[in-house]
Amino acid sequence: MLLTNLKLDKQTETPLYTQIIDSIKNQLYNDQIAAGDRLPSVRRLSAALQISRTTVENAYNQLVADGYLQNEPKRGYFAAALSGLRKHSDAPVTQSIEPPAVRYNFANNYIDPASFPSELWRRYLNRALKNKHLLSGYGEPQGETELRRTLANSSVARGVICSPEQIVIGAGVQSLLQILIDILQPDITSIALEAPGFAQAERLFTSHGWQVRHFSTDQLETSLPRLLYVSPSNPYKGRSLSPQQRLNLLRWATQQQTYLLEDDYNGEFRYFGRPVSSLQGMSDGRTVIYLGSFSRLLLPSLRISYMVLPPLLLDRYRQLGHLYNQTSSTIEQLALADFIAAGALRRHVKRLRRLYSNKNTLLRQALTEIFGSRVIVRAYESGLHLRLAVVTQQTADTLSERALENGVRILPVYDSNGNLPEILISFVGIQENDIRPALLQLKKAWF
């Protein structure tokens, strides 16, 4: 069977030994060769195929190495028992379901590529590549010293006060939350997230057996867990915490001996006043664990985030820190350190504030002109979203689905306290000249 079915194409670029391997694998998958069957000897198969013995021997040796054949000295080659393998002909063919095409994207998972200084960033990457000594290893588990030192020295803009030793670098917030979970448990195994929560974080904590609940910063209860997850500029709230609310939260945390996990998402973007200082900077640094990220400042694909640990948690981290490999690129960390130290990040954020402030204003004006009283802007003074209430009997999910059917992606809000459905629309990635056409398409989808 093997000799008659095994045919080689000597005109193709595919090596002959590779064709032999593929043919024997296919016959094994399709039960044309059964477990324990003896294969032709190298001499016999090479003669039948009119090729060199070396070619056949190379193919057999590769199949042995991959576990498809067994080589028994002085007996020959035998088919291995490959139980559980599905025949190729029986393999299910799944057809991917194409999602509706998105023409206008008001979601928050991308940015306007024109807003990123690509040429300037490439210059700092090239500079980092010249540091052969630092690039020859896996990088520091806690994050490159140059970046941690630079962050500690430049964090005055957000009011964060820390030393380089308190900073832990990671590829995204979720990788840092994993480290934090290991630091806190078993002493702390429950968390309350500021409503409406953060789905990815909640799933991570739940998967480690933590109890997860939501809370409101306006109703602080003594029964809350010892770890509260807050985002003072949470886009899903649509508003920032006021300075007084922040002080009240810090006082409560001190009294209850509770840690605040501050996710400073979008904290830099406030359009009608100066950015408010971080909770970490307003406190004595003992009760606040600070999370920062460069996904919105630079690129979502640039996976660099950082965590500032309070002094009381540092000893615990030092006991565990050596167990973690660094998840963020050393090259990009070094480039970012230079980018920040040279003032390029500060200038870039200043440009982004102007750009996003202009988009914010254009979007609100277009909403008024196109929807009139059918849409109510709930909040817009900070962040990268507008939170809207839509005067309709439809649900937020239905509004989102109908928008997507018409080529517009939006985000439904699930914690609305009113009777009207609410949505979020992000203006970061959409082009300015696409704002009006996108809203006209939304109006067509909803009314």
Side-chain angles (χ1 to χ4, degrees), residues 82-86:
L82 304 176
S83 60
L85 283 180
R86 185 186 298 273

Side-chain angles (χ1 to χ4, degrees), residues 75-141:
R75 293 194 62 214
Y77 295 91
F78 295 83
L82 304 176
S83 60
L85 283 180
R86 185 186 298 273
K87 299 178 185 179
H88 281 188
S89 58
D90 294 337
V93 178
T94 58
Q95 293 183 348
S96 60
I97 300 175
E98 292 292 333
V102 176
R103 174 65 181 88
Y104 304 109
N105 195 345
F106 282 120
N108 63 348
N109 57 350
Y110 76 118
I111 67 167
D112 182 349
S115 67
F116 180 68
S118 302
E119 291 299 324
L120 182 61
W121 179 248
R122 188 176 297 113
R123 188 185 310 164
Y124 286 99
L125 283 176
N126 290 335
R127 186 180 302 174
L129 286 168
K130 296 178 181 178
N131 196 330
K132 303 297 183 183
H133 174 69
L134 290 178
L135 297 182
S136 60
Y138 286 102
E140 297 182 49

Side-chain angles (χ1 to χ4, degrees), residues 151 294 297-298 336 339-340 342-350:
L151 288 174
F294 294 93
L297 294 180
L298 295 173
L336 180 57
F339 191 79
I340 296 172
L345 179 63
R346 175 179 51 80
R347 293 188 293 271
H348 177 59
V349 171
K350 189 175 180 180

Side-chain angles (χ1 to χ4, degrees), residues 150-420:
T150 301
L151 288 174
N153 293 336
S154 65
S155 59
V156 175
R158 294 291 303 129
V160 176
I161 303 171
C162 65
S163 66
E165 290 71 29
Q166 291 176 257
I167 298 176
V168 182
I169 307 294
V173 166
Q174 287 170 274
S175 68
L176 295 172
L177 291 179
Q178 174 64 67
I179 295 174
L180 182 62
I181 288 172
D182 291 341
I183 293 173
L184 294 175
Q185 60 188 18
D187 298 332
I188 299 177
T189 55
S190 61
I191 184 172
L193 293 93
E194 182 186 12
F198 176 18
Q200 290 88 338
E202 292 178 39
R203 181 167 183 173
L204 182 61
F205 283 104
T206 302
S207 68
H208 284 77
W210 284 47
Q211 293 182 335
V212 177
R213 56 175 291 192
H214 292 164
F215 78 102
S216 169
T217 53
D218 296 325
Q219 297 176 333
L220 296 172
E221 307 166 4
T222 56
S223 61
L224 288 172
R226 290 178 55 201
L227 180 64
L228 304 185
Y229 194 120
V230 296
S231 184
S233 299
N234 190 333
Y236 293 92
K237 280 197 317 253
R239 58 179 175 81
S240 298
L241 290 179
S242 69
Q244 187 59 52
Q245 287 175 315
R246 294 172 187 239
L247 285 173
N248 292 340
L249 189 59
L250 288 169
R251 290 194 188 103
W252 185 89
T254 300
Q255 293 168 359
Q256 301 297 321
Q257 297 183 330
T258 298
Y259 282 114
L260 300 177
L261 177 54
E262 179 183 14
D263 187 346
D264 200 22
Y265 180 85
N266 288 349
E268 296 82 2
F269 299 111
R270 186 174 174 86
Y271 308 115
F272 304 99
R274 294 180 61 83
V276 181
S277 295
S278 63
L279 289 172
Q280 199 272 359
M282 296 175 68
S283 70
D284 59 5
R286 295 180 179 276
T287 60
V288 180
I289 305 162
Y290 180 87
L291 291 173
S293 174
F294 294 93
S295 294
R296 286 296 177 213
L297 294 180
L298 295 173
L299 289 173
S301 57
L302 181 67
R303 305 299 291 163
I304 300 182
S305 297
Y306 62 100
M307 175 169 61
V308 179
L309 293 172
L312 291 177
L313 295 180
L314 275 180
D315 288 340
R316 178 62 177 162
Y317 172 74
R318 291 187 180 114
Q319 296 172 22
L320 300 173
H322 68 282
L323 300 175
Y324 303 102
N325 286 325
Q326 178 52 243
T327 54
S328 184
S329 163
T330 297
I331 296 172
E332 291 179 338
Q333 288 186 56
L334 296 175
L336 180 57
D338 282 347
F339 191 79
I340 296 172
L345 179 63
R346 175 179 51 80
R347 293 188 293 271
H348 177 59
V349 171
K350 189 175 180 180
R351 287 192 297 270
L352 286 182
R353 285 199 188 113
R354 289 196 300 267
L355 172 65
Y356 294 159
S357 177
N358 187 51
K359 285 188 177 184
N360 181 309
T361 301
L362 287 175
L363 183 55
R364 287 185 292 112
Q365 290 174 346
L367 282 166
T368 300
E369 294 172 9
I370 294 172
F371 287 94
S373 60
R374 289 178 168 179
V375 164
I376 303 168
V377 180
R378 294 292 198 206
Y380 60 86
E381 79 279 1
S382 65
L384 305 174
H385 301 73
L386 267 63
R387 180 163 174 162
L388 310 177
V390 184
V391 182
T392 179
Q393 297 298 316
Q394 303 174 65
T395 65
D397 275 332
T398 301
L399 292 174
S400 177
E401 291 167 3
R402 291 189 175 180
L404 192 57
E405 290 171 359
N406 284 267
V408 185
R409 178 171 287 136
I410 59 172
L411 300 174
V413 175
Y414 297 112
D415 71 326
S416 175
N417 295 322
N419 297 321
L420 298 176

